[in-house]
Amino acid sequence: MKILFHAFSILVLMIWPASGANAQEYRHNLMPTPAEVSFQPGKLAIRESFSVAVRGHDDRRLEAGIDRAVRRLEGRIGTELRRGVATDAPNPTLVIECREASLPVPSLNEDESYSLEVSVGRATLKAPTVIGALRGLETLLQLAESDRDGYYIPCVKIDDKPRFRWRGLLFDSSRHFQPLEVIKRNLDGMASVKLNVFHWHLTDDQGFRIESKKYPKLTGMGSDGLFYTQDQAREIIAYAAERGIRVVPEFDLPGHATSWVVGYPELASAPGPYQIERQPGVFDPTLDPTREEIYQFLDGFFGEMAALFPDEYMHIGGDENEGKQWDRNPQIQSFMKERGIKNNHSLQAYFTMRLERILQKYKKKTMGWEEILADDLPKDVVIHSWRGPDSLAEAVKKGFSGVLSAGYYIDLSYPASNHYRVDPVAADKNLSRQEEARIMGGEATMWSEYVSPETIDSRIWPRAAAIAERFWSPRSIVDVDDMYRRLAVTSVRLEELGLTHEKNYRSQLRRMAGGKEIGPLETLVSVVEPVKQYNRGQQRPTTMLSPLTGFVDAARPDSEAARNFASLVNGFLADAPRFQTNREEVERTLAKWRDARPAIEAITRRSGLREVEPLAAELSDLAQAGLDALACLVELKSTGPQWREGKLAILAQAAKPKPSAVEFAILPSVRQLVIAAIELPQLRGQPPLEWQKRVKTLAEVARTQ
Amino acid sequence: MKILFHAFSILVLMIWPASGANAQEYRHNLMPTPAEVSFQPGKLAIRESFSVAVRGHDDRRLEAGIDRAVRRLEGRIGTELRRGVATDAPNPTLVIECREASLPVPSLNEDESYSLEVSVGRATLKAPTVIGALRGLETLLQLAESDRDGYYIPCVKIDDKPRFRWRGLLFDSSRHFQPLEVIKRNLDGMASVKLNVFHWHLTDDQGFRIESKKYPKLTGMGSDGLFYTQDQAREIIAYAAERGIRVVPEFDLPGHATSWVVGYPELASAPGPYQIERQPGVFDPTLDPTREEIYQFLDGFFGEMAALFPDEYMHIGGDENEGKQWDRNPQIQSFMKERGIKNNHSLQAYFTMRLERILQKYKKKTMGWEEILADDLPKDVVIHSWRGPDSLAEAVKKGFSGVLSAGYYIDLSYPASNHYRVDPVAADKNLSRQEEARIMGGEATMWSEYVSPETIDSRIWPRAAAIAERFWSPRSIVDVDDMYRRLAVTSVRLEELGLTHEKNYRSQLRRMAGGKEIGPLETLVSVVEPVKQYNRGQQRPTTMLSPLTGFVDAARPDSEAARNFASLVNGFLADAPRFQTNREEVERTLAKWRDARPAIEAITRRSGLREVEPLAAELSDLAQAGLDALACLVELKSTGPQWREGKLAILAQAAKPKPSAVEFAILPSVRQLVIAAIELPQLRGQPPLEWQKRVKTLAEVARTQ
């Protein structure tokens, strides 16, 4: 249970003689950043002769991992590379020294460390276990760069191990079922950024997704026929294990239970019949914890699942049980009275305890959402915090282990930087070293109310890679700009695994436009993002059966165009009162957005995209407001109340919730320009320093308005 | 065996009052064009209330087909539509009247006809069989258009049935194995353009791809582990049958047999051992037709396959057997002498006859490539012509049935127009009505020497849709420009089935560039095509194990940019001697290509794309030559011999075979401009008509040089 903390200073920048002559800055594109990394001059060229030798332990998993890595390298350089390991070769390019096999089932206690040394003649990867070697191979693939002479690996020395040993992605297969190939390509993505827990959310109100041979009505009536057979689950488990990824299944109970009780209404706390839930939200159907038959049922079910899922942990959910069915059921009420169970929380604790004992019987440890926290649970129960870091602190102070998901809800459409800034160990909780050590790591959550196989990758990637860095890399790695620089490279590399986050939005736009001419829609979609939180449900209500083919589905979180524009605007304003830096680029960008309107409208009119049509006008007005503000600033012209009212009205209009459920990601930057135009000219006559002090407060003001 | 010919005149253009006010031309986007179609004023709006009722016969296949169609419609309009059929609904939007079920196994004699009548209040689809109804549903989906008011179906009356009953796509899984999901999305694509035969090329020198439980070494040693289990084959067969597509398996014999004899060298005509072939080409390993054990083996194998594949036809290959092993084998030579078998062709005929009898025993009809043609074969053998139409004519004259693939080799990278112009019934063969009727149809061939799962869709689509039209639509539908107009729409619609032909090339370019900035590479890739025929193998040799991630793999056949440019240039030249039509657009286009060089080179240098780098300079020179020619024409300036030499040298350089294995698709148009600049000014003083007469000859001259 020892957690290793690293806060070494990392050599990110160094002098790198790229082609022998001109020295230039070398910035790596690794993600996650290794615990210790030090680049040296020189490079190891990747040529057709590239070969891999294994010294020490060798097995099928390692060789398969090597083969996958070499095939990916091959795809980049476009040249066939030798197949198989060449252990007898006199001069292999890459030598892998591995001490021992990893367990067939990846475990929490796996040693994932490795070291990598690349010199001009050779790369040497050393790892105590096969999974450590797989982690090192991913680093090696990330190191591969190219210049005019072709691909190479820069000389480097890396000593690496994860900061946290639980680095997960929650994948919700209930709200929207996802086919096997979607899961597989995402497992590949996870492995490439060193995530190691696939938390598979298999049951919820909207669908029961795993075959039970013992209770066939679970999927027979609760899944619309969309579920994983046990063979398919085994296929996923094996695929994950090949990549050193654990599969932790979640069976959400006692709430979120509609799909359980469609086929087995007798499990519920109120009489049925029930139907699969089609809406997003929190619903009443809840298991009845007072009847013994329930525990017989669960014993049968979890016994079956324990045999299917080899991981030592099982997640039992436990979240968002509002207990409405319990309150209304006289039998449950009298049960509580008899036993002195004071409230629903205690009744749920009773249920959790009973369930935990069943899992124990099947040699499984229990994990659950923070609501299951109760003093008398065994200490090896893992508390999964989702509402905030407080429950995590409380859990570890009480001696439980914990995993953090609060702050890592990628389904809420926040930018990567928001998640990146959240540390699993909150600074303000006064945790002892021992308590800190009980924080095992974190999980990004891909709840699937609003994702289809076509869009899910773009909701996970590339942002999950930034979170993966948070879980793996030293706490000291916090430079957001550098994260984004590396994330852009990582995003393209993730594509080679078949992930569709960079490519699908354009075919979505083509479908909307009914043709290939989508340039104007691309301009529009680049400056918007899906609305944050679960506001989409209010602005553009859909059920689980609705098509996810709207403009909001083509829009992607964390707009790159908006981020670039924000950086331009910040540079422009920081140059107060001169206002020349970036001026032309800001102008050009705004003019492009202003002028896009007719071309966008030509498409939206032809295609009946009524929810998109008003966005063109709003974008145009917004851009014009920005241009007006810019002109005032450049001329240091005071703006009157009428100017101010006009611009604020445009900003307010653009900020309104829209039936398209997108928002203008560029709005804060335009607001910044407008407020600057209103406020800054008042400083006329004051020294530049005063202007710049005021400018610094503007970004914050604009963002929080 | 009755083939139905239709050459009705089709109403493609008509007056269409789009929104009640302005009358405008209505051009449909159907592909294939129906046998009879007549549009009327008015439209049927597709709203949330859209519902489907089935009258008459109903079954699971029909309902599944309806569900797929409604989900696709839903995806386009972005709004949830009612699930299931609403047979009791008082006012369904679409009524389907189907007379009877189709056979579980789609057959050559299936009636695929349907009629569709759309009026303002309702659409009615009538079909004698379920598969006919499925064909009609695809037409309905193609009819769906949008305007400002949203989606609608124009009022129309369609009576449709196929011209040919064998409309196939050959899919080669041997050279490059393709996973199930690749096949499934292509089956969806086939169904959407009414192709009905999936010819599955399962064995060849480079890999044996179908599990035999009886002879496990076929895949055990001949497939690298890349093969379809029998369960997976059944999954594909069922998936195809759901869509009214037959699966005709091909087991190529007696040549193309390397992968058979890796595990069973005793089948070969020369002693082994053998290894899976990694090169493209034609190879020696050939089954020994003289030994009885061979036929015992084949009896066992084909018995097993006959039980697995339900179609009444089996394809036994038979192509490209050069008989080298036979020539060198004394035992075979004496066998021939003893039996009076004069040559290898007769020996193969002996083999075919024996094999045909085995297939007969298992109630299968035999199909084979044209080389199997021999007088004493039973007349129900199908001859598959691939080298040219002569063998097809010969076959049907001899009383065999035939299928044409010559002219439909989509793997050769020719434009869709080339294939579109080939009719299965060649005009010059003097076939009787009866002989013509024996031509059952055709097949596009996707040989897979140079395709991976990432690129295969772009080698099949959208061109196969044009061929599908040739096989389905009346012979009179031959307007190439209109085909291309509809093909562009069809291509985008094919994307909704998950096909990747429009989207993958950009992620390929991103992988090459190592980042997101690929604009300049997109410009370059848009003007090139993969080299034609099998020249790629000479210019850029690769094996079956090489990565298919080069620039040529991102390039796509049938460059749209080149086609558009050709049309601009033709318009410009036709305006001789004024030379003003399209002048600015031709200039702008050429200038863009000329100026792209530095940006392309910045990427190629950074990324080590050495095979791409010279293309930027060549494109730039080519474009400059075009601009120079244009200037001369506009000024009616004579060009001297030096000018001429210089330009022709540039054209010759651009036309050279390149290590990148691409060719400039814009070259003929630039050549046309250059030749025009050399020749036309000599006509100074002559009337415009003389100029234009000369211009007409130029396109042909430029194309054939």
Side-chain angles (χ1 to χ4, degrees), chain B residues 17 42 104 111 154 156 233 242 244 282 300-301 310 359 365 367 459 542 553 564 595 612 683:
Chain B
D111 186 339
V156 71
E242 279 281 290
V282 178
F301 177 79
L359 290 186
K365 291 181 183 158
M367 178 174 190
R459 273 51 186 158
T542 49
D553 299 295
N564 293 340
D595 300 339
V612 182
L683 301 177

Side-chain angles (χ1 to χ4, degrees), chain A residues 572-701:
Chain A
F572 169 76
L573 291 175
D575 189 24
R578 214 174 56 105
F579 297 117
Q580 288 307 315
T581 305
N582 298 342
R583 177 190 155 177
E584 275 180 31
E585 225 173 326
V586 172
E587 270 179 342
R588 198 166 45 236
T589 306
L590 285 167
K592 187 181 75 181
W593 291 337
R594 181 195 57 198
D595 300 339
R597 182 174 172 179
I600 298 170
E601 287 178 345
I603 295 176
T604 58
R605 281 182 193 149
R606 193 168 61 231
S607 323
L609 294 171
R610 257 168 294 179
E611 63 173 23
V612 182
E613 201 171 332
L615 298 174
E618 287 182 9
L619 174 61
S620 187
D621 292 348
L622 204 52
Q624 185 59 57
L627 284 165
D628 292 347
L630 181 137
C632 290
L633 285 166
V634 168
E635 297 166 24
L636 300 181
K637 203 173 78 181
S638 292
T639 56
Q642 205 181 336
W643 191 98
R644 181 195 157 99
E645 293 308 307
K647 300 309 169 210
L648 294 183
I650 287 167
L651 292 171
Q653 173 63 31
K656 273 191 190 156
K658 301 168 208 308
S660 55
V662 298
E663 60 186 36
F664 284 108
I666 55 167
L667 186 57
S669 295
V670 176
R671 191 183 282 132
Q672 214 173 320
L673 283 172
V674 168
I675 300 177
I678 293 168
E679 296 193 358
L680 294 183
Q682 299 162 10
L683 301 177
R684 221 166 355 197
Q686 299 204 30
L689 205 67
E690 286 305 308
W691 291 70
Q692 284 151 26
K693 255 161 65 186
R694 182 72 71 89
V695 162
K696 276 187 190 149
T697 67
L698 285 181
E700 195 47 33
V701 169

Side-chain angles (χ1 to χ4, degrees), chain A residues 288-504:
Chain A
D288 180 348
T290 69
R291 282 185 283 124
E292 282 309 306
E293 311 89 85
I294 303 291
Y295 299 105
Q296 281 164 28
F297 183 100
L298 294 177
D299 189 291
F301 178 79
F302 279 96
E304 191 183 359
M305 292 300 121
L308 176 60
F309 290 95
D311 199 81
E312 64 176 320
Y313 284 87
M314 280 204 167
H315 201 298
I316 58 162
D319 55 319
E320 298 185 307
N321 167 23
E322 298 181 343
K324 289 185 193 164
Q325 284 195 340
W326 293 355
D327 295 341
R328 289 189 229 112
N329 180 326
Q331 239 175 313
I332 291 176
Q333 292 305 312
S334 64
F335 178 92
M336 289 170 73
K337 204 169 289 175
E338 276 164 30
R339 310 242 176 165
I341 295 173
K342 282 176 298 194
N343 54 31
N344 286 340
H345 182 258
S346 301
L347 183 58
Q348 181 166 342
Y350 167 82
F351 172 79
T352 305
M353 213 84 79
R354 294 287 307 263
L355 188 49
E356 196 276 335
R357 244 171 281 147
I358 292 171
L359 289 186
Q360 254 189 49
K361 177 175 147 193
Y362 294 112
K363 310 261 180 293
K364 296 294 183 188
K365 291 180 183 161
T366 298
M367 180 173 188
W369 298 106
E370 57 183 67
E371 287 96 325
I372 71 163
L373 187 54
D375 290 342
D376 33 9
L377 282 171
K379 294 304 178 215
D380 64 357
V381 166
V382 176
I383 302 302
H384 193 171
S385 295
W386 68 278
R387 289 183 296 196
D390 289 354
S391 62
L392 184 65
E394 185 190 345
V396 299
K397 281 181 179 170
K398 285 183 168 159
F400 296 101
S401 294
V403 167
L404 185 67
S405 276
Y408 306 123
Y409 267 48
I410 50 178
D411 60 315
L412 300 183
S413 296
Y414 285 105
S417 52
N418 286 32
H419 305 303
Y420 194 66
R421 290 192 183 100
V422 176
D423 198 280
V425 180
D428 61 348
K429 301 289 178 227
N430 286 319
L431 300 182
S432 72
R433 202 97 182 115
Q434 221 173 8
E435 286 159 0
E436 267 194 36
R438 291 194 197 106
I439 297 177
M440 295 198 290
E443 283 187 8
T445 59
M446 182 67 259
W447 300 109
S448 67
E449 280 87 348
Y450 301 113
V451 290
S452 68
E454 188 179 36
T455 62
I456 189 168
D457 296 357
S458 71
R459 272 54 185 156
I460 298 176
W461 308 105
R463 292 177 301 145
I467 299 175
E469 172 155 289
R470 180 53 53 240
F471 297 159
W472 176 283
S473 301
R475 183 169 197 150
S476 59
I477 305 292
V478 290
D479 182 336
V480 167
D481 289 341
D482 193 62
M483 176 274 283
Y484 273 120
R485 180 186 63 75
R486 289 177 291 123
L487 196 62
V489 178
T490 304
S491 190
V492 170
R493 284 185 181 152
L494 283 162
E495 284 194 276
E496 85 187 356
L497 303 165
L499 289 163
T500 61
H501 55 294
E502 290 284 359
K503 69 183 174 187
N504 272 7

Side-chain angles (χ1 to χ4, degrees), chain B residues 60-200:
Chain B
R60 213 201 43 74
R61 173 156 49 180
L62 178 58
E63 294 207 2
I66 293 169
D67 186 64
R68 288 196 305 275
V70 174
R71 300 286 80 74
R72 279 160 67 192
L73 204 53
E74 205 176 67
R76 295 188 204 161
I77 69 176
T79 306
E80 190 172 336
L81 299 177
R82 181 177 172 143
R83 284 176 189 241
V85 296
T87 300
D88 311 331
N91 206 12
T93 324
L94 169 64
V95 173
I96 299 178
E97 294 179 32
C98 185
R99 226 167 32 237
E100 58 183 33
S102 297
L103 291 173
V105 178
S107 122
L108 189 54
N109 301 309
E110 188 69 68
D111 186 339
E112 299 175 277
S113 70
Y114 67 94
S115 72
L116 183 60
E117 187 159 1
V118 180
S119 59
V120 174
R122 165 163 311 175
T124 306
L125 170 60
K126 294 183 188 177
T129 71
V130 166
I131 289 180
L134 296 181
R135 302 286 178 258
L137 279 168
E138 294 292 347
T139 302
L140 194 84
L141 282 168
Q142 292 186 355
L143 283 168
E145 303 270 348
S146 63
D147 60 17
R148 189 166 195 174
D149 299 326
Y151 268 83
Y152 64 88
I153 303 174
C155 290
V156 71
K157 204 173 155 356
I158 289 175
D159 268 299
D160 200 11
K161 53 188 163 184
R163 179 173 167 217
F164 295 104
R165 60 205 162 125
W166 190 299
R167 306 179 306 278
L169 172 67
L170 178 150
F171 193 93
D172 174 5
S173 282
S174 174
R175 272 58 176 250
H176 280 92
F177 179 78
Q178 305 291 337
L180 287 205
E181 67 259 29
V182 175
I183 297 180
K184 286 183 180 175
R185 69 190 186 221
N186 277 287
L187 287 168
D188 282 317
M190 288 175 67
S192 79
V193 295
K194 303 184 172 61
L195 290 171
N196 70 350
V197 178
F198 181 72
H199 172 161
W200 203 357

Side-chain angles (χ1 to χ4, degrees), chain A residues 75 80 146 148-149 495 502-504 506-507 510 516 543 546 549 560 605-606 610 613, chain B residues 75 80 83 146 148-149 495 502-504 506-507 510 516 543 546 549 560 605-606 610 613:
Chain A
E80 189 173 337
S146 62
R148 189 165 196 174
D149 299 326
E495 284 194 276
E502 290 284 359
K503 69 183 174 187
N504 272 7
R506 292 178 91 246
S507 42
R510 280 191 290 268
K516 292 190 195 180
T543 77
S546 303
T549 54
E560 212 171 328
R605 281 182 193 149
R606 193 168 61 231
R610 257 168 294 179
E613 201 171 332
Chain B
E80 190 172 336
R83 284 176 189 241
S146 63
R148 189 166 195 174
D149 299 326
E495 284 194 277
E502 289 285 358
K503 69 183 175 187
N504 272 7
R506 292 177 92 244
S507 43
R510 281 191 289 269
K516 292 189 196 182
T543 76
S546 303
T549 54
E560 211 172 326
R605 280 183 193 146
R606 194 168 61 230
R610 255 167 298 178
E613 201 171 333

Side-chain angles (χ1 to χ4, degrees), chain B residues 22-64:
Chain B
N22 285 342
Q24 53 179 94
E25 257 180 17
Y26 185 80
R27 297 194 291 176
H28 72 71
N29 290 311
L30 300 174
M31 182 165 277
T33 300
E36 291 182 75
V37 53
S38 142
F39 286 91
Q40 273 124 34
K43 60 186 186 181
L44 172 64
I46 304 173
R47 306 236 178 280
E48 283 179 40
S49 57
F50 185 91
S51 63
V52 185
V54 174
R55 308 261 158 87
H57 175 81
D58 188 9
D59 61 23
R60 213 201 43 74
R61 173 156 49 180
L62 178 58
E63 294 207 2

Side-chain angles (χ1 to χ4, degrees), chain B residues 94 170 173-174 179 223 239 415 580 647 658 697:
Chain B
L94 169 64
L170 178 150
S173 282
S174 174
S223 78
Y239 196 91
Q580 288 306 316
K647 300 309 170 208
K658 302 169 206 307
T697 67

Side-chain angles (χ1 to χ4, degrees), chain B residues 525-560:
Chain B
V525 86
S526 75
V527 299
V528 301
E529 291 174 354
V531 287
K532 307 298 172 289
Q533 295 283 351
Y534 296 119
N535 294 333
R536 176 170 172 167
Q538 281 79 59
Q539 294 174 32
R540 193 177 186 277
T542 49
T543 76
M544 295 306 122
L545 300 179
S546 303
L548 296 173
T549 54
F551 194 64
V552 61
D553 299 295
R556 295 178 295 168
D558 213 356
S559 159
E560 211 172 326

